[in-house]
């Protein structure tokens, strides 16, 4: 099983739609979780951290489900500028490495 | 001014060349990383330097050699690369190894 698994998409949605991505992780000892956004040929940029209680930042909501070992990202009222690849990132719970592991990303295309 | 700067942005090299990638972070972080991003693959952690300790992915070939002279500078020395090493190489930094990463713009490397 991959350490971090995401549906690659693409998700093609119209402007104004609500879209949700899920990401599963294999290491139950993981403590830190993030969503990054990566535009084509650019570096990844932090979108938001994911907290146990869930968190919201404007149109974006992130949730963590430790029991089922997945995190989610919900985007409401999609904009054309939201088109990008969204990377799920999980801290590797192995204390010997203690680094972040990236999923392959989910591509979102918002259409006019 | 970006927090993490990488040079060069693009690099084309032959298999017998020796080149180096440079990264500098201006964020006061104590950990720096090299990641490799190949087409349609997740970011792959190559090396981590944290508080003068180096952690590496054992699958990285020896033709990649990192150097971290201080907490602000990181190099990746390249020699006798193969065409399959062509990829986007990203430098990142963080405050502690489980915390969010800040990426440089990357070096798009092509090996001929």
């Amino acid at each position: 099983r991959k350490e971090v698994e995401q549906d690659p998409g693409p998700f093609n949605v119209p402007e104004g739609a609500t879209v949700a991505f899920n990401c599963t992780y294999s290491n139950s000892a993981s403590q830190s979780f993030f969503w990054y956004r990566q535009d084509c040929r650019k570096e990844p940029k932090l979108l938001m951290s994911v907290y146990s209680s869930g968190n919201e930042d404007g149109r974006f909501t992130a949730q963590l489900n430790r029991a089922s070992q997945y995190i989610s990202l919900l985007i409401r009222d999609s904009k054309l500028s939201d088109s990008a690849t969204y990377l799920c990132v999980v801290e590797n719970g192995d204390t010997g490495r203690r680094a972040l592991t990236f999923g392959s990303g989910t591509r979102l295309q918002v259409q006019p | 001014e970006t927090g993490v700067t990488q040079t060069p942005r693009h690099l084309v090299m032959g298999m017998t060349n020796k080149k180096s990638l440079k990264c500098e972070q201006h964020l006061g972080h104590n950990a720096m990383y090299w990641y490799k991003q190949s087409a349609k693959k997740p970011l792959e952690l190559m090396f981590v330097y944290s508080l003068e300790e180096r952690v590496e992915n054992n699958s990285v070939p020896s033709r990649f050699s990192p150097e971290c002279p201080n907490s602000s500078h990181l190099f990746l020395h390249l020699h006798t690369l193969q065409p399959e090493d062509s990829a986007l190489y990203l430098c990142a930094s963080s405050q502690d190894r489980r915390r969010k990463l800040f990426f440089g713009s990357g070096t798009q490397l092509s090996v001929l």
Side-chain angles (χ1 to χ4, degrees), chain A residues 31-32 34 36 38 41-46 49 87 89 91-105, chain B residues 2 9 33 35 37 40-45 48 50 53 55 57 88 90 97-106 108:
Chain A
Q31 295 293 322
S32 302
F34 308 91
Y36 278 72
Q38 186 172 25
R41 300 183 186 281
K42 296 283 185 73
E43 74 275 19
K45 292 186 178 177
L46 179 68
S49 303
L87 305 173
V89 184
E91 173 246 337
N92 185 308
D94 176 352
T95 55
R97 287 178 54 195
R98 288 195 294 131
L100 302 182
T101 300
F102 285 72
S104 300
Chain B
T2 57
R9 292 293 303 274
Y33 311 76
Y35 278 88
Q37 188 173 34
K40 302 195 184 297
K41 289 186 177 180
L43 270 76
E44 176 189 351
L45 178 65
V48 181
S50 175
E53 175 195 8
V55 176
N57 181 338
L88 179 67
L90 291 157
R97 280 160 61 181
R98 293 182 181 179
R99 304 292 290 275
K100 52 195 175 187
L101 296 172
F102 292 81
F103 285 89
S105 301
Q108 187 64 54

Side-chain angles (χ1 to χ4, degrees), chain B residues 52-101:
Chain B
E52 301 181 3
E53 175 195 8
R54 181 175 112 182
V55 176
E56 56 194 272
N57 181 338
N58 290 331
S59 68
V60 177
S62 59
R63 54 186 183 267
F64 295 91
S65 173
E67 178 189 358
C68 190
N70 55 59
S71 60
S72 300
H73 294 85
L74 185 64
F75 297 89
L76 187 62
H77 303 299
L78 318 171
H79 63 99
T80 58
L81 294 192
Q82 304 298 309
E84 61 264 29
D85 296 323
S86 299
L88 179 67
Y89 289 85
L90 291 157
C91 173
S93 71
S94 69
Q95 185 59 32
D96 302 325
R97 280 160 61 181
R98 293 182 181 179
R99 304 292 290 275
K100 52 195 175 187
L101 296 172

Side-chain angles (χ1 to χ4, degrees), chain A residues 2-19:
Chain A
K2 290 182 182 176
E3 288 187 68
V4 179
E5 200 148 3
Q6 294 183 252
D7 181 343
F11 284 59
N12 295 304
V13 303
E15 269 187 292
T18 295
V19 62

